[in-house]
Amino acid sequence: MATYIRACQFRKQIQNFKCFHNADRRLLVNSSALRDHNYTCHSCLQTSNRTDLLQIKHPERLLRQFHNRSRTLTSTFSRKDPTTNVYQNNLFARFHNGRIPFNETRVFYSSRAASADSPGSDGDGDDKGDSKPDDTPTEQEGVEVQTSVTYPMSALTTTTIPDYFPNIPVIAINRNPVFPRFVKLIEVNDKKLVDLIKRKVKLNLPYAGIFLKTNDSHDKDVVESLSDLHKVGMFVQIKEMRELQDRLQMWVEGHRRISIVRQLPEEVELQNDMAALTNHLGEQISKKKGARKSRKERRLEKVNGGNGGHVDVQPEAAAGMTEESSAREGMLNTTIMSDVLMVETENTPDEPFTSDMKLKALTAEVVKTIKDIMALNPLYREHLYHIIQGQRVLDNPVFICDVGAAVTTADPEQIQQVIEETNIPARLELVLSLLKKEFELSKLQKKIGQEVEEKVKKQHREYILREQLKIIKKELGIEKDDKDAIEEKFRDRLKGLVVPEHVKTVIDEELNKLGTLDNHSSEFSVTRNYLDWLTCLPWGKYSSENLDLARATQILEEDHYGMEDVKKRILEFIAVSQLKGSTQGKILCFHGPPGVGKTSIARSIARALNRQYFRFSVGGMSDVAEIKGHRRTYVGAMPGKMIQCLKKTKTENPLVLIDEVDKMSRGHQGDPASALLELLDPEQNANFLDHYLDVNMDLSKVLFICTANVVDMIPEPLKDRMELIDVSGYVAEEKLAIAEKYLLPQAREHSGVKPEQVHLAKEALTELIKSYCRESGVRNLQKHVEKILRKAALKIVSEGVERVEVTPSNLYDFVGIPKFTRERMYDVNPPGVVTGLAWTAFGGSTLYIETVVKKALDLDTDSKEKGDLQVTGNLGDVIKESVQLAYTYSKLFLRRVDDSSQFLEKAHIHLHLPEGATPKDGPSAGCAIVTALLSLALNKSTRQNVAMTGEISLTGKVLPIGGVKEKVIAARRSGMECVILPEDNRKDFSDLPDYIVKDLEVHFAAHYSDVFSVMFPDIQFKSSS
C-alpha cells in the first residue's frame, strides 16, 4: 500500500477515504479487503494487485500510510471488535449521517504535519521498501479512494460529543427548529458568523447553538440582543459544511437542549479552544483505555514531545493552564467571543419521570397519531418509517416527543413551548395537541387532493369519450371533419345573399387557405374569425321601407309633441323616396339643448320609415379603430362600429344614430372626427373600407342621424357634410302639453300607479314648470313627475289612501322647495341697468347688465383725470372685446344726445354681469351694454319690460345673432312685453310658432339709433353726419 501511494501521481491531493460501515455507521476497515485484492486510485485510475502488503494484524498502520502524504490523523485505529474482527476508530469514527451520501463524506485532519514525511514512510519511519512503481491497484469493496473535494475544509465529525460545552456560536432562525437526533440544513449569510464557524470547524470544534427568534420578521442571522432570542435552544454538531459564494451551507445534528446564560463580549483565542477540546477528549479516552498505552499513543507521545498523546498547544495558551485544571475548567476559563456571535450556555436536562400507565398511554397515542399522519401524508411516510419501525419507541417518550414535534407544521411559538417544556408528560400532551391539528390538516389536504384528482380524471375521461365519439361519427358519415363542417357552415350562410364579386373572390381564397391550416395554429383562428365576419354581413338584404306619408305622420305625432321642422324633413325624405321608387341614404344632424328629444326622435323616425335602428355614441371617443376597425394582425382585432351595425341589424339600409358628435376628442390613436368624414360623405360611403374586412362596403343606403348640443364644436369639414336641423327648447305651454300627453302616462306605467289613484292637477303642473323646471328640455320635468308619483305610491301603500290629489298648495310636500322663486332680477330697472338676452346650451335666458359709478365724478374742465371702465362677471375674451367696443361707441353716441356731456370721459364706471359663477361669452350683448352706459350717463331709466339682443359694430351697425327662438322664449318666460332684434334676424322670427310670438311686441334694428329710439322715446338726438 505504501508503494502504491508513492506511485500515485495525485497522492498529495487524496483527502477522502471510503469503506464499509456497519449499522452504527462507524468507519471500519475490513480485514478481507487487505489481502490479495486489486486496488484502484480514483484520481489516476491506476490498478495494481497488492499481495505483498503489510500483515493484516496492522490495519491501522495501513490507514496511516494512506493518509500520511498530506496530514496526520489526530486519532488512531486501535480497538478491535471481537465479533466482527474489525478495527474501529474510537475518536473520529462517526463519519456521516443518513442525509449525506457516504462517498461525499469529508475526513477532517489536524494541523500537525507528519513527522516521517519521507517517501514510503507510514508515519513512524519503519517502512523499508517500495513495491513496483508501475503497479496500480484495483478497486475493492473494502478500501476505496474518493478524490472530489467540494470544500477543502471539511466538517468535523467526532465520535464523542462533549457533555458540557458552554461557549458556542449562536445561529438565530425564524422557523422549524432542530430536535435531538434530527438533521437540518441551515444557511448562514452573515460574514462575521460565517468566519467564526469556519474557524471553529477548522479547530475541530464543530458545535453551535440554534435558537428561535422572538420576531418572525427579523431576517438576519445575527441578533442584536438576547431579547430577540428565546432562551432555550438546541446544542448542535455541524456534520457537513459547504461554502456557496456569499453564504455558508451546513448540515447540523441536534443533541440536547441548552439555555443561554449570558452574552460573551470578548473575542475567543483559537488556541485555547483547541487546547480545551483536546484535554477534554483526552480525558474521556484515558478513562476508557485505562493506564495501558497503545503503540500509536507511544508513537504520538514521541512525536509531540511527551504530551501523552495530546496535540501540542502554543506556549502562550499552555502557560495559562495549571496542571490541576480539568478539561471542563479549561473550557470555562477560555476567553470569549463578541456579544453578537457568542453566548455562554448551560444544559437544560429533562425532569425525572416515572413510566406509569398514563405516560405509556400518552406515548402510545402520540405514536398512533404519527402513524395516522404517515398514512395520510406521503411526505412524512418515508422519513418516519425507519424511525418508528426501527426501534422500540414506546420505551423512549423523550424521543417520541421530539419526533412528534419535528413532523408538525405548527407556529414557531408552539414549537418553542415543546422545546422549553422539561416535564415529559406535559411535553407529550403539547406534542399530542400539535399532532392532532396536523392530522386534521392532513385529512383536509387529502380530501382536497382527492377532489382535484377526481375532477381531472372526469375531465380526462370526457375528453377521451368525445374524441372516440368524434371518430365513430366520422367513420359512420354522421359527422364531418372540423374543417369540412366549418367550410360548409360558411357556404350555407352565403346562400340567398347577393355577394359582390370582389367579396366572393376574397371568401373563396380564405376558405382554400383555411383548408391547408392546422386546427390548432393561431393563423387558423384568425382566418376563421375573418370568414365569420364576412359571411355574417347582410349582402344585398334591405328592409322594405314605409312610403306611406299618412302612417309616418301618425307615428311621429304619437311619440313627440312639436318639433315641426324635424317631422317635416322626414316627410320630405319619404316623399322623395316614393317618387324615385327606391330607398336612399342621408346625413342629418339634430342640434339643440339637452332634453328636447333629439335621441328619442331618431327611434321614432326609424319606426316611421320601417328601418332597423342602431345607435352608438362618439362622445369622448379618441380611437379611430372604433369607426374604421383594427388591422387583423392585432390580437383581439374587431371591425368598426358600422360593420358591427350591419351584422346586428341584418340589413344594408338601417337608421344609424351617431350621438354626441360635438364631444369627440383627439388622442394618440388618431382623430375620430376625420374618420367620420369618409363615413358621412355621400360621395365616399358607397365604397367604405373597413381596416378589418379590407373589402369595400356600400353604405349609401344608410340613413345617418347625428345629434349635438353645440354645432360650433363640430369640425367644419364634418359639419359641411351634414344637414343641420335646429331642435330648440320648449316654452311653458309646450312643456305642459308634453307632460300631460307623454310624461305623465309613462310615469304612471313605470311606478304602477293607476290614473284613478293619483290626480295631478293642471295648475300643479304649471307651477311645477314655472318654479322647478325652467330649462329648455323636459328631462328634468320628467324626473319631477316621476318623483311625485313615487311619493304618491308610498302614501297609498303605507297609509292606505285610496286617492292622492296633487295641487299647487301641497306640491311642496312632493318635490320640496321651489328652485325659482322670482321671474326676474329687477321688477323695475334703475338707471344703468338693462335686460339683455343670452343663449346657452340649456336654452335661452335673460342677461342683466349693471353699471354704476364707483368714484365721485369730477366734471371740472381743467382736470386732466380720465375715466376708466372695470368689467366683472366671469366674461370670455369675445364679450370683453364687445364691452370695450360698446364703451367707445357709447362715448360717440352720447355726444349726439348731449355734446356738452363729459360723463363717460371722466367717470370711473364698473360694469358687471350678474351670476359670476356662470361663464359668459359672445358678441350679442353689444346693444344692451351701450344702452346701459347711456342710461347711466343720462341718469335715466330705460323703458321697462324690454329685452334686447344684437351685436354692435364700431360705427353703430346692429349685426345678426343666433339662437333667436331660445332668446325669444326666455324673454317670454321672464314676462317681457317687448323684444328688440337685429334687422337681419327678421326671417328667423317669422318662423317662430304663433303661441311663442303671441302678444309680444318686437322691433327690428338696423342701427343703434333704432334701439335708442325704443329705449328712450322721449329723448331727441342728433342724426349722424
Side-chain angles (χ1 to χ4, degrees):
M1 171 64 85
T3 303
Y4 155 66
I5 292 179
R6 287 196 302 274
C8 175
Q9 57 180 316
F10 297 101
R11 60 183 182 274
K12 291 188 178 182
Q13 301 179 14
I14 297 174
Q15 296 186 8
N16 297 1
F17 186 79
K18 169 183 170 185
C19 62
F20 282 96
H21 57 92
N22 59 8
D24 198 24
R25 294 180 296 198
R26 296 179 178 276
L27 181 64
L28 304 176
V29 180
N30 197 318
S31 58
S32 63
L34 301 178
R35 296 191 187 97
D36 302 338
H37 283 334
N38 295 330
Y39 294 87
T40 302
C41 175
H42 282 207
S43 295
C44 60
L45 302 180
Q46 295 179 358
T47 305
S48 176
N49 184 273
R50 308 306 301 149
T51 57
D52 54 348
L53 295 179
L54 300 177
Q55 297 298 322
I56 188 59
K57 63 181 179 180
H58 298 297
E60 73 281 359
R61 184 177 181 186
L62 193 66
L63 293 177
R64 288 200 314 279
Q65 289 173 352
F66 187 79
H67 292 288
N68 67 359
R69 291 301 90 198
S70 173
R71 297 181 179 227
T72 302
L73 289 171
T74 57
S75 61
T76 60
F77 294 79
S78 57
R79 186 171 65 87
K80 181 177 181 182
D81 191 338
T83 59
T84 59
N85 196 27
V86 173
Y87 286 80
Q88 299 180 359
N89 179 3
N90 290 331
L91 190 58
F92 297 97
R94 296 186 65 85
F95 233 66
H96 78 296
N97 52 53
R99 298 290 299 272
I100 304 175
F102 193 81
N103 60 354
E104 292 183 9
T105 306
R106 305 292 183 261
V107 180
F108 183 83
Y109 305 98
S110 71
S111 58
R112 175 170 295 277
S115 60
D117 198 22
S118 59
S121 173
D122 65 351
D124 57 0
D126 294 337
D127 292 356
K128 299 299 182 181
D130 298 340
S131 297
K132 299 177 182 180
D134 53 351
D135 291 340
T136 53
T138 60
E139 179 181 352
Q140 288 296 329
E141 59 183 6
V143 180
E144 182 181 331
V145 178
Q146 177 69 27
T147 61
S148 63
V149 179
T150 60
Y151 187 75
M153 185 191 66
S154 306
L156 177 63
T157 55
T158 60
T159 301
T160 305
I161 304 301
D163 296 332
Y164 184 74
F165 199 84
N167 302 340
I168 55 175
V170 176
I171 301 176
I173 60 176
N174 290 326
R175 300 181 61 87
N176 302 328
V178 64
F179 285 89
R181 304 189 192 181
F182 281 83
V183 178
K184 177 180 175 62
L185 176 65
I186 294 179
E187 289 188 356
V188 178
N189 298 316
D190 187 79
K191 188 176 184 304
K192 293 183 179 180
L193 185 58
V194 169
D195 294 340
L196 175 62
I197 293 175
K198 289 165 62 176
R199 289 161 53 191
K200 290 291 184 181
V201 171
K202 190 173 183 179
L203 289 175
N204 205 4
L205 303 174
Y207 309 114
I210 294 181
F211 297 88
L212 276 177
K213 302 173 188 174
T214 56
N215 186 6
D216 290 343
S217 60
H218 192 286
D219 56 351
K220 296 183 179 179
D221 298 325
V222 178
V223 296
E224 298 179 356
S225 64
L226 289 181
S227 61
D228 297 331
L229 294 175
H230 288 285
K231 184 178 179 181
V232 180
M234 199 64 58
F235 179 84
V236 299
Q237 178 191 12
I238 301 173
K239 306 292 290 184
E240 171 76 10
M241 188 169 66
R242 184 174 301 171
E243 190 171 7
L244 304 173
Q245 295 181 355
D246 57 344
R247 66 185 189 275
L248 190 65
Q249 189 180 79
M250 300 177 294
W251 289 96
V252 298
E253 180 182 1
H255 286 281
R256 59 177 177 267
R257 289 168 170 81
I258 55 176
S259 300
I260 298 177
V261 177
R262 62 188 180 91
Q263 297 182 9
L264 301 179
E266 300 177 4
E267 185 180 1
V268 68
E269 294 184 8
L270 305 180
Q271 295 84 353
N272 291 352
D273 280 345
M274 185 63 194
L277 175 68
T278 306
N279 293 338
H280 174 60
L281 298 180
E283 283 186 0
Q284 292 186 358
I285 295 173
S286 299
K287 289 179 182 179
K288 293 181 180 180
K289 294 175 60 177
R292 181 179 176 275
K293 295 183 179 180
S294 65
R295 176 183 175 186
K296 180 163 62 172
E297 286 178 332
R298 291 194 298 269
R299 182 166 60 254
L300 288 176
E301 183 176 279
K302 179 178 68 174
V303 171
N304 296 327
N307 280 338
H310 300 303
V311 180
D312 285 340
V313 301
Q314 296 183 4
E316 297 84 1
M321 301 171 58
T322 61
E323 296 179 357
E324 295 82 8
S325 297
S326 65
R328 177 174 177 176
E329 292 173 345
M331 287 186 289
L332 292 175
N333 292 331
T334 56
T335 55
I336 49 183
M337 282 291 291
S338 64
D339 56 344
V340 177
L341 303 177
M342 293 285 292
V343 294
E344 179 182 345
T345 63
E346 62 181 5
N347 294 339
T348 304
D350 296 330
E351 297 179 6
F353 62 92
T354 304
S355 181
D356 54 5
M357 297 300 296
K358 179 180 179 181
L359 186 67
K360 291 181 179 180
L362 280 173
T363 306
E365 183 63 24
V366 170
V367 173
K368 176 180 177 299
T369 308
I370 293 176
K371 291 181 178 180
D372 293 339
I373 295 175
M374 291 169 53
L376 291 177
N377 196 333
L379 180 65
Y380 301 133
R381 188 177 304 158
E382 183 178 355
H383 181 65
L384 296 178
Y385 178 78
H386 298 288
I387 297 177
I388 299 299
Q389 302 295 335
Q391 49 186 304
R392 298 186 61 187
V393 294
L394 291 176
D395 297 338
N396 193 349
V398 179
F399 177 66
I400 283 299
C401 289
D402 295 337
V403 172
V407 301
T408 62
T409 58
D411 296 334
E413 294 295 333
Q414 296 175 330
I415 299 295
Q416 183 64 28
Q417 292 180 8
V418 176
I419 295 177
E420 294 179 356
E421 183 61 56
T422 58
N423 184 274
I424 300 304
R427 188 188 297 174
L428 279 171
E429 292 180 357
L430 287 174
V431 172
L432 182 60
S433 175
L434 297 180
L435 287 173
K436 289 297 183 182
K437 294 179 181 179
E438 189 70 24
F439 179 61
E440 295 298 327
L441 181 63
S442 298
K443 289 198 298 184
L444 180 60
Q445 180 181 356
K446 183 178 180 180
K447 180 181 177 182
I448 295 174
Q450 289 177 348
E451 291 177 355
V452 174
E453 185 177 359
E454 290 176 0
K455 184 177 180 181
V456 172
K457 287 182 178 179
K458 182 180 178 181
Q459 293 177 349
H460 182 68
R461 180 173 177 273
E462 290 178 354
Y463 173 78
I464 296 298
L465 291 176
R466 287 195 194 97
E467 293 297 323
Q468 292 176 351
L469 180 62
K470 188 183 298 184
I471 295 175
I472 293 172
K473 287 183 177 181
K474 184 177 179 181
E475 292 294 333
L476 295 176
I478 301 176
E479 187 177 280
K480 298 181 180 180
D481 190 31
D482 288 343
K483 293 182 182 179
D484 297 335
I486 292 173
E487 182 178 354
E488 184 175 352
K489 179 183 69 173
F490 290 152
R491 294 194 181 277
D492 289 342
R493 288 181 181 177
L494 298 177
K495 292 180 180 179
L497 299 179
V498 183
V499 183
E501 194 63 31
H502 67 281
V503 178
K504 192 173 183 180
T505 302
V506 173
I507 293 176
D508 292 339
E509 291 177 355
E510 293 297 323
L511 285 174
N512 295 334
K513 177 182 176 182
L514 187 70
T516 61
L517 295 175
D518 183 72
N519 292 14
H520 302 288
S521 65
S522 59
E523 186 68 19
F524 181 84
S525 300
V526 173
T527 305
R528 183 180 59 186
N529 293 337
Y530 179 53
L531 284 170
D532 185 52
W533 278 101
L534 281 176
T535 55
C536 281
L537 296 179
W539 303 104
K541 292 181 64 176
Y542 301 95
S543 58
S544 58
E545 193 165 7
N546 174 40
L547 302 179
D548 189 353
L549 288 176
R551 182 174 178 274
T553 303
Q554 180 184 357
I555 293 174
L556 294 175
E557 291 295 339
E558 286 178 358
D559 295 343
H560 290 81
Y561 180 84
M563 306 182 72
E564 298 298 331
D565 293 342
V566 178
K567 295 176 181 178
K568 189 181 298 184
R569 182 65 185 86
I570 297 303
L571 295 178
E572 293 172 359
F573 178 81
I574 295 176
V576 172
S577 299
Q578 186 175 2
L579 291 177
K580 290 182 62 176
S582 62
T583 59
Q584 59 177 340
K586 206 67 179 176
I587 297 97
L588 306 178
C589 180
F590 301 155
H591 63 92
V596 296
K598 299 185 298 296
T599 303
S600 59
I601 190 64
R603 187 183 297 273
S604 299
I605 294 172
R607 191 161 69 93
L609 295 177
N610 195 29
R611 290 197 179 197
Q612 296 295 323
Y613 174 76
F614 183 83
R615 173 192 172 275
F616 70 93
S617 176
V618 294
M621 182 183 293
S622 60
D623 189 1
V624 176
E626 292 289 332
I627 298 172
K628 298 280 289 182
H630 303 84
R631 302 288 181 184
R632 291 201 304 274
T633 55
Y634 299 147
V635 176
M638 291 183 64
K641 289 292 185 182
M642 278 310 304
I643 305 302
Q644 298 178 34
C645 162
L646 297 180
K647 179 182 178 182
K648 182 177 180 181
T649 59
K650 300 187 182 304
T651 60
E652 283 193 328
N653 63 334
L655 187 147
V656 179
L657 176 66
I658 305 176
D659 221 349
E660 310 293 351
V661 294
D662 59 332
K663 299 177 180 61
M664 286 184 292
S665 60
R666 177 182 298 180
H668 66 280
Q669 295 173 326
D671 183 13
S674 300
L676 282 177
L677 295 177
E678 179 185 359
L679 181 64
L680 300 180
D681 192 342
E683 302 298 329
Q684 300 182 40
N685 59 12
N687 295 303
F688 177 76
L689 183 65
D690 185 88
H691 291 162
Y692 182 85
L693 293 184
D694 203 24
V695 293
N696 293 328
M697 290 291 300
D698 184 9
L699 303 179
S700 60
K701 302 297 189 293
V702 179
L703 175 59
F704 292 99
I705 295 180
C706 305
T707 65
N709 295 124
V710 184
V711 293
D712 296 337
M713 303 296 293
I714 304 175
E716 287 298 328
L718 185 59
K719 188 192 303 183
D720 182 64
R721 285 165 169 79
M722 299 184 294
E723 181 179 348
L724 300 178
I725 299 178
D726 186 15
V727 183
S728 303
Y730 302 105
V731 295
E733 292 80 4
E734 291 177 317
K735 287 185 178 181
L736 181 61
I738 293 172
E740 291 178 339
K741 190 175 181 180
Y742 302 101
L743 302 183
L744 195 55
Q746 292 177 5
R748 285 197 183 105
E749 182 180 355
H750 293 161
S751 61
V753 177
K754 298 180 180 179
E756 60 271 13
Q757 291 178 318
V758 178
H759 177 257
L760 185 58
K762 186 175 182 180
E763 295 79 8
L765 281 174
T766 304
E767 181 65 23
L768 185 66
I769 295 169
K770 179 181 177 182
S771 302
Y772 296 87
C773 310
R774 285 191 181 179
E775 64 281 341
S776 300
V778 294
R779 186 174 289 126
N780 193 33
L781 178 60
Q782 181 183 7
K783 294 178 182 177
H784 280 77
V785 172
E786 292 175 352
K787 185 176 182 181
I788 291 173
L789 294 184
R790 288 197 305 269
K791 293 285 184 82
L794 177 62
K795 198 171 185 179
I796 292 172
V797 175
S798 61
E799 300 179 8
V801 181
E802 295 182 358
R803 183 178 176 85
V804 177
E805 291 285 345
V806 181
T807 61
S809 59
N810 64 355
L811 186 62
Y812 170 81
D813 299 334
F814 293 91
V815 292
I817 302 174
K819 184 178 179 181
F820 305 99
T821 56
R822 62 182 180 211
E823 293 292 342
R824 53 192 187 186
M825 183 179 296
Y826 294 96
D827 294 331
V828 177
N829 291 348
V833 177
V834 175
T835 304
L837 295 174
W839 180 92
T840 65
F842 300 95
S845 65
T846 55
L847 180 67
Y848 286 90
I849 291 95
E850 301 175 329
T851 57
V852 295
V853 178
K854 63 178 181 179
K855 186 177 180 182
L857 183 61
D858 185 7
L859 297 177
D860 186 4
T861 57
D862 296 334
S863 175
K864 297 182 179 180
E865 183 179 3
K866 295 183 179 180
D868 63 351
L869 178 65
Q870 181 183 356
V871 182
T872 57
N874 197 0
L875 308 181
D877 294 337
V878 177
I879 196 171
K880 286 180 180 179
E881 291 182 356
S882 182
V883 169
Q884 293 297 327
L885 190 148
Y887 182 51
T888 301
Y889 182 76
S890 61
K891 293 179 182 179
L892 298 176
F893 196 86
L894 183 60
R895 295 173 188 169
R896 296 173 58 184
V897 178
D898 184 3
D899 55 0
S900 63
S901 176
Q902 296 184 355
F903 182 87
L904 296 179
E905 300 290 344
K906 300 287 186 178
H908 297 275
I909 302 173
H910 185 175
L911 186 145
H912 177 68
L913 278 67
E915 298 182 6
T918 304
K920 308 170 188 68
D921 204 357
S924 62
C927 291
I929 295 172
V930 173
T931 305
L933 291 174
L934 292 176
S935 175
L936 181 66
L938 297 174
N939 194 22
K940 183 177 180 62
S941 299
T942 61
R943 178 183 170 182
Q944 302 299 320
N945 298 326
V946 178
M948 67 183 71
T949 181
E951 180 182 358
I952 193 169
S953 68
L954 196 57
T955 59
K957 291 284 188 180
V958 180
L959 305 179
I961 47 84
V964 173
K965 182 178 180 181
E966 288 82 0
K967 292 178 180 179
V968 173
I969 292 174
R972 185 178 183 86
R973 187 171 56 237
S974 299
M976 298 297 169
E977 299 174 355
C978 180
V979 176
I980 300 177
L981 300 174
E983 178 66 31
D984 293 339
N985 290 112
R986 184 185 294 270
K987 179 182 178 299
D988 298 325
F989 183 81
S990 62
D991 293 337
L992 297 179
D994 293 338
Y995 60 84
I996 295 179
V997 301
K998 184 180 179 181
D999 299 331
L1000 187 64
E1001 181 184 352
V1002 60
H1003 295 274
F1004 298 98
H1007 192 273
Y1008 180 74
S1009 58
D1010 301 331
V1011 178
F1012 188 84
S1013 299
V1014 176
M1015 300 303 293
F1016 303 96
D1018 55 346
I1019 298 179
Q1020 300 295 324
F1021 59 92
K1022 299 177 182 179
S1023 60
S1024 59
S1025 58

Short mmCIF file of all heavy atoms in Angstrom, two decimals, residues 762-779:
data_model
loop_
_atom_site.label_atom_id
_atom_site.label_comp_id
_atom_site.label_asym_id
_atom_site.label_seq_id
_atom_site.Cartn_x
_atom_site.Cartn_y
_atom_site.Cartn_z
N LYS A 762 -103.76 70.33 -13.40
CA LYS A 762 -103.08 71.12 -14.42
C LYS A 762 -102.38 72.33 -13.82
O LYS A 762 -101.28 72.71 -14.23
CB LYS A 762 -104.09 71.56 -15.48
CG LYS A 762 -103.48 72.28 -16.67
CD LYS A 762 -104.54 72.56 -17.71
CE LYS A 762 -103.93 73.24 -18.93
NZ LYS A 762 -104.97 73.51 -19.98
N GLU A 763 -103.00 72.92 -12.78
CA GLU A 763 -102.37 74.06 -12.10
C GLU A 763 -101.08 73.63 -11.40
O GLU A 763 -100.11 74.39 -11.36
CB GLU A 763 -103.34 74.67 -11.09
CG GLU A 763 -104.59 75.30 -11.70
CD GLU A 763 -105.62 74.25 -12.09
OE1 GLU A 763 -105.41 73.05 -11.74
OE2 GLU A 763 -106.61 74.61 -12.76
N ALA A 764 -101.07 72.41 -10.87
CA ALA A 764 -99.85 71.90 -10.22
C ALA A 764 -98.74 71.70 -11.25
O ALA A 764 -97.56 71.99 -10.97
CB ALA A 764 -100.15 70.60 -9.49
N LEU A 765 -99.09 71.18 -12.44
CA LEU A 765 -98.09 71.03 -13.48
C LEU A 765 -97.54 72.39 -13.93
O LEU A 765 -96.33 72.54 -14.16
CB LEU A 765 -98.69 70.29 -14.68
CG LEU A 765 -98.82 68.76 -14.56
CD1 LEU A 765 -99.56 68.19 -15.76
CD2 LEU A 765 -97.44 68.12 -14.43
N THR A 766 -98.42 73.37 -14.04
CA THR A 766 -97.97 74.72 -14.43
C THR A 766 -97.02 75.29 -13.40
O THR A 766 -95.98 75.88 -13.73
CB THR A 766 -99.18 75.64 -14.61
OG1 THR A 766 -100.08 75.06 -15.57
CG2 THR A 766 -98.76 77.01 -15.09
N GLU A 767 -97.36 75.11 -12.11
CA GLU A 767 -96.47 75.59 -11.05
C GLU A 767 -95.15 74.83 -11.04
O GLU A 767 -94.08 75.39 -10.78
CB GLU A 767 -97.17 75.44 -9.70
CG GLU A 767 -96.37 75.93 -8.50
CD GLU A 767 -96.12 77.42 -8.54
OE1 GLU A 767 -96.89 78.16 -9.21
OE2 GLU A 767 -95.16 77.88 -7.89
N LEU A 768 -95.24 73.54 -11.33
CA LEU A 768 -94.02 72.74 -11.39
C LEU A 768 -93.10 73.23 -12.50
O LEU A 768 -91.88 73.34 -12.32
CB LEU A 768 -94.40 71.27 -11.62
CG LEU A 768 -93.27 70.24 -11.59
CD1 LEU A 768 -92.66 70.15 -10.20
CD2 LEU A 768 -93.76 68.87 -12.05
N ILE A 769 -93.67 73.56 -13.66
CA ILE A 769 -92.85 74.06 -14.77
C ILE A 769 -92.30 75.44 -14.46
O ILE A 769 -91.14 75.75 -14.77
CB ILE A 769 -93.71 74.08 -16.06
CG1 ILE A 769 -94.10 72.65 -16.46
CG2 ILE A 769 -92.96 74.77 -17.20
CD1 ILE A 769 -95.14 72.58 -17.56
N LYS A 770 -93.09 76.27 -13.81
CA LYS A 770 -92.70 77.66 -13.56
C LYS A 770 -91.66 77.78 -12.45
O LYS A 770 -90.73 78.58 -12.57
CB LYS A 770 -93.96 78.45 -13.20
CG LYS A 770 -93.71 79.92 -12.89
CD LYS A 770 -95.01 80.61 -12.54
CE LYS A 770 -94.77 82.07 -12.16
NZ LYS A 770 -96.03 82.76 -11.77
N SER A 771 -91.80 77.00 -11.38
CA SER A 771 -90.95 77.18 -10.20
C SER A 771 -89.85 76.14 -10.06
O SER A 771 -88.94 76.31 -9.24
CB SER A 771 -91.81 77.14 -8.92
OG SER A 771 -92.81 78.15 -8.96
N TYR A 772 -89.90 75.03 -10.82
CA TYR A 772 -88.93 73.95 -10.65
C TYR A 772 -88.19 73.58 -11.93
O TYR A 772 -87.04 73.15 -11.87
CB TYR A 772 -89.61 72.68 -10.10
CG TYR A 772 -90.20 72.84 -8.72
CD1 TYR A 772 -91.48 73.33 -8.55
CD2 TYR A 772 -89.47 72.51 -7.59
CE1 TYR A 772 -92.04 73.46 -7.29
CE2 TYR A 772 -90.00 72.63 -6.32
CZ TYR A 772 -91.29 73.13 -6.17
OH TYR A 772 -91.82 73.26 -4.91
N CYS A 773 -88.82 73.71 -13.08
CA CYS A 773 -88.26 73.18 -14.33
C CYS A 773 -88.32 74.24 -15.42
O CYS A 773 -89.17 74.18 -16.33
CB CYS A 773 -89.03 71.92 -14.78
SG CYS A 773 -89.23 70.66 -13.50
N ARG A 774 -87.45 75.21 -15.36
CA ARG A 774 -87.45 76.28 -16.35
C ARG A 774 -86.51 76.03 -17.52
O ARG A 774 -86.45 76.84 -18.44
CB ARG A 774 -87.04 77.61 -15.68
CG ARG A 774 -88.11 78.22 -14.82
CD ARG A 774 -87.71 79.63 -14.44
NE ARG A 774 -88.71 80.27 -13.60
CZ ARG A 774 -88.58 81.50 -13.12
NH1 ARG A 774 -87.50 82.21 -13.40
NH2 ARG A 774 -89.52 82.02 -12.36
N GLU A 775 -85.74 74.94 -17.48
CA GLU A 775 -84.78 74.68 -18.55
C GLU A 775 -85.52 74.39 -19.85
O GLU A 775 -86.73 74.17 -19.87
CB GLU A 775 -83.87 73.51 -18.19
CG GLU A 775 -84.57 72.19 -18.04
CD GLU A 775 -85.27 72.06 -16.69
OE1 GLU A 775 -84.92 72.83 -15.77
OE2 GLU A 775 -86.17 71.21 -16.57
N SER A 776 -84.76 74.41 -20.95
CA SER A 776 -85.35 74.27 -22.28
C SER A 776 -85.93 72.89 -22.51
O SER A 776 -86.96 72.74 -23.18
CB SER A 776 -84.31 74.58 -23.36
OG SER A 776 -83.83 75.89 -23.22
N GLY A 777 -85.28 71.85 -22.02
CA GLY A 777 -85.74 70.49 -22.24
C GLY A 777 -86.78 70.06 -21.23
O GLY A 777 -87.18 70.82 -20.33
N VAL A 778 -87.19 68.81 -21.34
CA VAL A 778 -88.22 68.26 -20.46
C VAL A 778 -87.68 67.09 -19.62
O VAL A 778 -88.47 66.41 -18.96
CB VAL A 778 -89.44 67.79 -21.29
CG1 VAL A 778 -90.12 68.97 -21.94
CG2 VAL A 778 -89.02 66.75 -22.33
N ARG A 779 -86.38 66.85 -19.66
CA ARG A 779 -85.82 65.74 -18.89
C ARG A 779 -85.99 65.98 -17.39
O ARG A 779 -86.37 65.07 -16.64
CB ARG A 779 -84.35 65.53 -19.25
CG ARG A 779 -83.76 64.30 -18.58
CD ARG A 779 -82.35 64.04 -19.09
NE ARG A 779 -82.36 63.56 -20.47
CZ ARG A 779 -81.67 64.12 -21.45
NH1 ARG A 779 -80.94 65.20 -21.22
NH2 ARG A 779 -81.71 63.60 -22.65
#
